[in-house]
Amino acid sequence: MSEQTEQTQSGGVVIVGAGMAGVQTAVALREQGWSGPVTLLGAEPHQPYDRPPLSKAVLLGKAEDSAFDVDFEGLGIELRLGVEVTGLRAAERELDTEAGPVPYEVLVLATGAEPLTLPGSEGVQGVHLLRTLDDAARLRPVLAQAPATVVVGAGWIGAEFATAAREAGCAVTVVEAADRVLAGALPAEVAAPMARWYEEAGAALLTGAKVASVESGRVLLADGRELPAGAVVVGIGARPATRWLADSEVGLGPDGSVTADAYLRTSLPGVYAVGDCASFPSGRYGARLLVHHWDNALQGPRVVAANIVAGAAVQVYDPVPYFWSEQFGRFVQYAGHHAGADELMWRGDPAEAAWSVCWLRAGALVAVLAVGRPRDLAQGRKLIESGAPVDPAKVSDPATPLKSALV
C-alpha cells in the first residue's frame, strides 16, 4: 500500500447521498479492501432504497418498500440518515449540515437528481411528483381510488406512471408539450410506434399540448382545453441535485452536473462524483455524458472505489450506457449512445410485439434499442463494447443473431 493510500485511509471517506450510487460506493470500498472509516449521509429518514420499483410495485401496493439488502453495520459503514448537506468548505475539508459540520479526507458526491417541477403547480392540491418513497406513499392511496389522472410528460417516467395508473383502473390522459413522445431521447421515426402503445393501453395522449395552469381538480391547456384531474403527476425530467454546491469550488456544467473527469474526480482534490449528479467524458463516444439511469449508478461506484483505494487515478470510467423501462406490457431496453450515428437500421416490424433498432457509426454498432428482444440487447451491448465493424445486412436481418454480425 502506498504512503498516499495509508494517509487517506486514516482520514476516511464521506459519501453524500444514500441512493444507489452512494450505497454501491460504500459497499465497493469495503469489497476492494478499504479499511478506513466510511460514512454515508442520506437526506431522507428511510433506510436506503432502490428507486425503480417506486413507479411499479411500491406504487401499486405490491411491495411496501425497496430497501437495499445491505448489512451496513456488518460492513463497518456508518449510516447517518435524515442528514441534509447544505454546503461544502473545501479549504477546511468540511461539509455543512443541519446537524453540524462533518469533516472528510476523501469525499464522494452521489446526490442523484431531483425532479423538475411544473411552474405554477407547487402547493396545488392533487399534484404529485414521483421520485422518493414518500412520494410513492402519498400517491398510492390516491391511485387506489382510481381518479381521472393527468400525467404531464411523455418521457420514460411518464410512460411508466401512465402504465401503473391504467393498471390501477384510472382514466389517464398524458399531456406532452413536444410534438411527440420521448422527444428528448429518441429520433421521431423510432418514437412514433411507441406512441401507439398509449392508445392500445387505453390512455389518451395529447402531444403539442402545453399546460397553462394547474388548479385543484383540473388542468388547463394553453389552447383553452380543460382536463378533469383528480390527480396530476408531473414527469417532465430531472436535474442533478447539486444546488447546494453552487457556492463551492466544485466545477458544475451548464446542466448543473458535477463535471467529473475520466476517473470520476471533480475539480477539487480528494473529491469524486458519481451517478445522476455527475457528467463524465466518454472516450468511446467523444462526448461528455450525463446519464440518469440505474446502471450508471451501479457501475460508476466500482471505479470510484478503485481509485480511492489505490490513492491514484488507476481506472477510467467509460461505460456503454444502459437502461430499461417497463411500460404498457413491454420491456424496453437501450444500450449505447446514438448521437453521432450515421446509420439507423430496423430489426423487425415496429407494428409487432418485438423489434429492435440499431445505430451504426463508421460501420460499428454504437447503440441498440430492443423492445421485447433481450437477446438483441445483450449481444448488441457486447458488440458496442468491442467497437468491431459489423455487416449491415446481418444487423438488419432480425432472424440473424447480432453476435453473428461481426465482419
Side-chain angles (χ1 to χ4, degrees):
M1 184 182 294
S2 70
E3 182 179 340
Q4 180 182 3
T5 305
E6 288 176 352
Q7 180 182 358
T8 302
Q9 292 216 10
S10 68
V13 179
V14 174
I15 303 165
V16 183
M20 170 64 84
V23 167
Q24 290 299 323
T25 299
V27 171
L29 281 167
R30 291 301 188 222
E31 288 178 344
Q32 296 185 35
W34 179 265
S35 58
V38 175
T39 302
L40 185 61
L41 305 178
E44 294 182 54
H46 308 290
Q47 194 74 6
Y49 60 88
D50 204 3
R51 293 188 189 277
L54 295 184
S55 62
K56 306 173 185 71
V58 175
L59 187 60
L60 292 173
K62 298 177 181 178
E64 285 304 311
D65 61 36
S66 52
F68 292 116
D69 184 17
V70 175
D71 182 3
F72 295 101
E73 185 177 355
L75 290 171
I77 297 167
E78 182 185 357
L79 185 60
R80 298 179 58 184
L81 300 175
V83 176
E84 185 169 354
V85 179
T86 57
L88 166 60
R89 288 175 286 111
E92 293 81 11
R93 289 210 170 197
E94 281 189 342
L95 296 167
D96 290 324
T97 78
E98 294 178 354
V102 176
Y104 67 85
E105 184 66 31
V106 176
L107 177 64
V108 180
L109 306 175
T111 48
E114 57 191 9
L116 297 175
T117 57
L118 190 65
S121 68
E122 297 90 339
V124 177
Q125 185 177 359
V127 177
H128 300 267
L129 298 169
L130 185 55
R131 184 71 184 181
T132 69
L133 188 60
D134 287 339
D135 291 338
R138 283 188 289 266
L139 196 47
R140 186 164 65 182
V142 174
L143 283 191
Q145 298 172 16
T149 301
V150 173
V151 179
V152 182
W156 300 113
I157 283 293
E160 289 182 4
F161 181 78
T163 300
R166 286 297 298 140
E167 189 173 333
C170 302
V172 176
T173 301
V174 180
V175 177
E176 171 57 52
D179 62 358
R180 56 191 174 87
V181 303
L182 294 165
L186 294 173
E189 62 186 297
V190 177
M194 303 169 89
R196 295 193 290 267
W197 300 350
Y198 289 78
E199 182 180 358
E200 293 172 6
L205 173 64
L206 305 179
T207 56
K210 296 183 179 179
V211 174
S213 64
V214 179
E215 302 172 3
S216 182
R218 64 177 186 166
V219 174
L220 301 176
L221 302 182
D223 61 9
R225 282 179 290 180
E226 179 180 319
L227 306 175
V232 178
V233 180
V234 179
I236 55 175
R239 74 178 302 279
T242 57
R243 297 179 197 274
W244 64 282
L245 292 167
D247 296 326
S248 74
E249 297 173 44
V250 174
L252 302 178
D255 54 13
S257 65
V258 178
T259 51
D261 68 7
Y263 303 94
L264 297 181
R265 300 175 301 185
T266 74
S267 56
L268 288 178
V271 181
Y272 295 79
V274 67
D276 289 7
C277 72
S279 64
F280 57 91
S282 170
R284 184 189 308 276
Y285 292 106
R288 177 166 286 275
L289 303 183
L290 174 61
V291 181
H292 282 183
H293 293 299
W294 185 90
D295 192 64
N296 180 52
L298 176 67
Q299 304 294 339
R302 297 167 185 165
V303 172
V304 168
N307 292 331
I308 291 174
V309 170
V314 295
Q315 266 195 40
V316 166
Y317 187 58
D318 195 6
V320 172
Y322 166 75
F323 77 92
W324 79 95
S325 176
E326 295 177 84
Q327 51 184 267
F328 307 119
R330 295 166 173 85
F331 188 45
V332 184
Q333 295 172 284
Y334 177 95
H337 180 66
H338 64 266
D342 50 41
E343 194 170 4
L344 183 155
M345 313 192 77
W346 292 86
R347 282 173 62 81
D349 184 349
E352 302 295 331
W355 48 274
S356 297
V357 175
C358 294
W359 286 268
L360 277 59
R361 185 180 66 203
L365 189 68
V366 292
V368 59
L369 171 77
V371 177
R373 290 180 66 103
R375 191 168 297 174
D376 276 3
L377 190 288
Q379 295 179 9
R381 192 175 184 180
K382 291 180 180 178
L383 288 178
I384 296 169
E385 289 172 348
S386 75
V390 294
D391 181 344
K394 292 180 178 178
V395 169
S396 61
D397 178 7
T400 300
L402 270 181
K403 65 181 180 182
S404 302
L406 284 170
V407 173

